[in-house]
Amino acid sequence: MINFTDAVTLGTTRRTTDGFLTTVAKSVRTGIQLYAGSEVGRPDMRVVRVMRSADEVFSQDSLQSFSHAPITMGHPSVPVTADNWKELAAGEVSTAATKDGDWIALPLILKDSRAINRVESGEVRELSAGYTCELEFVDHADYDAIQKNIRINHLAIVDTARAGHEARIGDSWGTSPIHATDTEIKSMTLKTVMVDGIGSVETTDAGALAIAKL
């Protein structure tokens, strides 16, 4: 099991009569992302092309895992569970996640006043999805591995300055993701890289360095 995050800028927000903040954001998309082999347990490979297929992204189990997922301010150091939800959660996915083109659309509601103020002030405007999946290596001309069994844990509101305004992906839990435990977590910054035959792709700093060497 490996842990990932996706980041995407929040869209238009509005206040409810109770003062809660609601919005709809797109998170988790289909397509190919690039990683340095060391990031996904394959130090023998310089670059690993990871495919996230529509069948996996939009599977019923994947979509269902987003329902009522907690929203946190920043990625917590541990997964969100019933034991720590009260301390970590600032809101939740309010209704069912739905397919929107190549993305999953998520109706969100923030209920914590401090979190709402930070979003409305523009201090933090990115939604980063923390989730687990299995990574299956395959023999394919266009990619090296497939994400399977995608399951959401939480959605983090993070600083736009770190991730920019485009959707990104990066490993988040554990320095050795294939063997990461639930209590290991780290944040990573993503870059856009142009690759011949593929086009524009998102990858980590280490992945960008590996691609540059190639």
Side-chain angles (χ1 to χ4, degrees):
M1 187 69 68
I2 185 171
N3 297 270
F4 287 86
T5 64
D6 275 5
V8 64
T9 305
L10 290 175
T12 302
T13 60
R14 71 174 184 85
R15 288 276 197 137
T16 69
T17 55
D18 296 319
F20 300 145
L21 190 74
T22 64
T23 187
V24 176
K26 296 178 182 179
S27 184
V28 182
R29 61 179 173 85
T30 61
I32 297 173
Q33 291 80 39
L34 303 184
Y35 291 85
S38 59
E39 294 176 291
V40 292
R42 289 296 300 270
D44 56 308
M45 301 175 66
R46 287 186 176 182
V47 177
V48 176
R49 301 164 299 171
V50 178
M51 165 60 77
R52 188 191 295 139
S53 70
D55 287 345
E56 291 294 333
V57 170
F58 304 125
S59 73
Q60 187 60 39
D61 288 341
S62 173
L63 290 175
Q64 184 62 39
S65 71
F66 283 86
S67 294
H68 303 292
I71 299 173
T72 62
M73 298 306 292
H75 285 290
S77 60
V78 294
V80 182
T81 67
D83 293 329
N84 57 26
W85 177 89
K86 186 175 182 179
E87 290 75 30
L88 298 177
E92 67 175 6
V93 179
S94 57
T95 57
T98 58
K99 181 179 182 296
D100 186 351
D102 294 331
W103 296 82
I104 290 178
L106 302 170
L108 312 176
I109 182 166
L110 277 176
K111 297 183 176 182
D112 179 77
S113 61
R114 289 172 298 180
I116 292 171
N117 291 336
R118 292 181 66 191
V119 169
E120 289 187 327
S121 70
E123 179 184 348
V124 288
R125 295 287 297 183
E126 293 255 336
L127 176 69
S128 180
Y131 60 96
T132 63
C133 72
E134 296 175 6
L135 200 62
E136 178 182 326
F137 284 85
V138 296
D139 182 13
H140 194 282
D142 297 326
Y143 48 85
D144 307 301
I146 301 173
Q147 283 188 1
K148 303 184 72 174
N149 296 323
I150 298 168
R151 300 291 184 271
I152 192 68
N153 175 260
H154 64 274
L155 300 166
I157 304 295
V158 296
D159 187 353
T160 47
R162 289 181 300 177
H165 296 288
E166 297 182 12
R168 308 201 189 293
I169 184 170
D171 297 335
S172 65
W173 292 347
T175 55
S176 179
I178 292 296
H179 305 292
T181 66
D182 285 344
T183 58
E184 295 175 310
I185 187 166
K186 65 178 180 177
S187 296
M188 304 189 73
T189 302
L190 280 294
K191 291 184 176 181
T192 301
V193 180
M194 294 299 298
V195 181
D196 290 342
I198 298 178
S200 177
V201 296
E202 305 292 344
T203 185
T204 61
D205 287 339
L209 289 174
I211 293 167
K213 290 180 180 179
L214 288 175

